[in-house]
Amino acid sequence: MEGTGITVSTTTSSTAAAEAARAPSLKLQRTLALILLLCQGGITVTGSLVRVTGSGLGCNTWPLCHEGSLVPLRGAAPLVHQAIEFGNRLLTFVVAAAAIAVTVAVYRAGRRQLIKNLAVASIAGVVLQAILGGISVLVDLHWWAVAVHFLPSMALVAIAAVLYMRIAEPDDAPVIERYSPQARAMVVAAAVALCFVLVTGTMVTGSGPHSGDAGVGMEGRLDMDTRLLAYVHAACMYLYLIGTLAATYLLRRSNAPKDAFNTALVLVAMIVVQWAVGVTQFYLGVPRWTVPIHIAMSSVVVAFSAFVWAHGRRRMP
């Protein structure tokens, strides 16, 4: 009997070791999470290209491109507009594939529930975004529909950023408070200010010159003074910058870990770059080429805000 027990135990251990060997490595999990983060940010940039090129109704229905056709049709709309809008739709499948790949990897690796939840939330967010994008097309790009389509993208960037950070942590290690409660509170306060920055930014865009399609014109645009909205948006940006600077100071004062402090410094630099792009837009009358840059920097700023927040509490070996 003892011999049989040893045999069973050895077989079980061998099976467990074989399963562990087949599980996706930590490096692969983090690589997939990084790809997902880049995809989530990248699709916001392609979405802005749709807007500034006036290609929003290049495919004028959803989920089909045109009535009775899944793909662009010659003569249904300018070919370049169809190609840009249809291409942006196809990128949704790329983002979905990245989200599914991360989810499969963390489930196969047996990661803790938080990581699994973040991965599943990414998939759900892609589905939601596809639906919201379809609604924005069906209502002829009304400003509120476009705003509702953009804002969840920023939330998905934040989720992907936190997922990237959490995957690197050992699942069985204790959670460590890595900087002071005061600094953490200021980081959260700055994040709240960032939410106002993003919301007011969609309002500026909604009242501005880029409707998303030449055929729409100013129909369905936000009927408010763009200049006034830009001032409100700028005020929110300054509050966000001040909050981030205060958080960075508190991190320094409380001797926070170097990686957390350096991430905060990078965030401050990115906010300054975003501010410069916004000022350029304001004084040049929002030229088309500035919009994708501004949107790209929004994703960068959101991601680094999430990084700084995630540094506050981590599972450390």
Side-chain angles (χ1 to χ4, degrees):
M1 294 297 290
E2 290 179 358
T4 301
I6 292 173
T7 302
V8 172
S9 177
T10 302
T11 302
T12 302
S13 300
S14 299
T15 302
E19 290 179 353
R22 289 196 297 269
S25 66
L26 180 60
K27 182 179 180 180
L28 176 59
Q29 294 173 54
R30 292 207 81 197
T31 299
L32 292 173
L34 179 59
I35 291 172
L36 174 61
L37 176 56
L38 294 175
C39 286
Q40 293 287 22
I43 199 168
T44 65
V45 177
T46 60
S48 71
L49 291 174
V50 171
R51 170 172 288 277
V52 298
T53 57
S55 304
L57 296 180
C59 289
N60 58 15
T61 189
W62 186 88
L64 301 177
C65 183
H66 299 290
E67 196 66 38
S69 177
L70 179 63
V71 298
L73 291 173
R74 183 182 295 274
L79 185 59
V80 64
H81 290 175
Q82 293 191 68
I84 292 173
E85 168 61 14
F86 188 68
N88 187 60
R89 293 188 182 192
L90 289 179
L91 284 177
T92 300
F93 294 99
V94 177
V95 182
I100 291 171
V102 173
T103 303
V104 171
V106 298
Y107 268 87
R108 285 191 60 196
R111 302 305 304 269
R112 66 185 184 275
Q113 194 59 46
L114 173 62
I115 291 176
K116 294 176 180 177
N117 290 345
L118 290 171
V120 171
S122 296
I123 296 177
V126 173
V127 175
L128 174 64
Q129 279 293 74
I131 295 172
L132 293 176
I135 292 173
S136 68
V137 170
L138 295 176
V139 299
D140 292 335
L141 308 179
H142 276 231
W143 79 271
W144 58 266
V146 176
V148 170
H149 187 38
F150 170 75
L151 293 174
S153 292
M154 296 295 99
L156 290 174
V157 168
I159 289 173
V162 174
L163 176 61
Y164 176 75
M165 292 282 287
R166 296 300 182 229
I167 281 178
E169 302 171 3
D171 292 331
D172 55 354
V175 177
I176 304 297
E177 297 280 349
R178 303 186 74 229
Y179 52 70
S180 68
Q182 294 82 4
R184 188 169 183 83
M186 187 56 66
V187 168
V188 172
V192 172
L194 174 58
C195 292
F196 282 100
V197 173
L198 295 172
V199 171
T200 56
T202 63
M203 296 176 71
V204 174
T205 302
S207 65
H210 302 302
S211 63
D213 190 276
V216 174
M218 294 305 290
E219 185 68 26
R221 310 296 288 147
L222 177 60
D223 188 19
M224 293 184 68
D225 181 41
T226 303
R227 193 176 187 87
L228 175 61
L229 289 173
Y231 284 134
V232 174
H233 179 57
C236 293
M237 171 64 83
Y238 286 123
L239 287 175
Y240 172 50
L241 176 58
I242 291 170
T244 303
L245 287 170
T248 304
Y249 169 74
L250 290 172
L251 290 174
R252 178 72 171 180
R253 184 179 178 183
S254 61
N255 293 318
K258 189 175 181 180
D259 55 357
F261 179 69
N262 288 344
T263 302
L265 289 179
V266 173
L267 174 58
V268 171
M270 295 301 99
I271 295 173
V272 172
V273 171
Q274 180 72 316
W275 166 81
V277 174
V279 170
T280 301
Q281 285 185 309
F282 182 80
Y283 285 105
L284 295 183
V286 197
R288 296 179 189 276
W289 61 269
T290 63
V291 176
I293 298 174
H294 201 51
I295 293 297
M297 288 305 303
S298 293
S299 293
V300 171
V301 166
V302 168
F304 273 90
S305 292
F307 288 155
V308 173
W309 177 82
H311 271 299
R313 292 175 181 167
R314 301 199 72 184
R315 292 177 180 267
M316 306 300 292

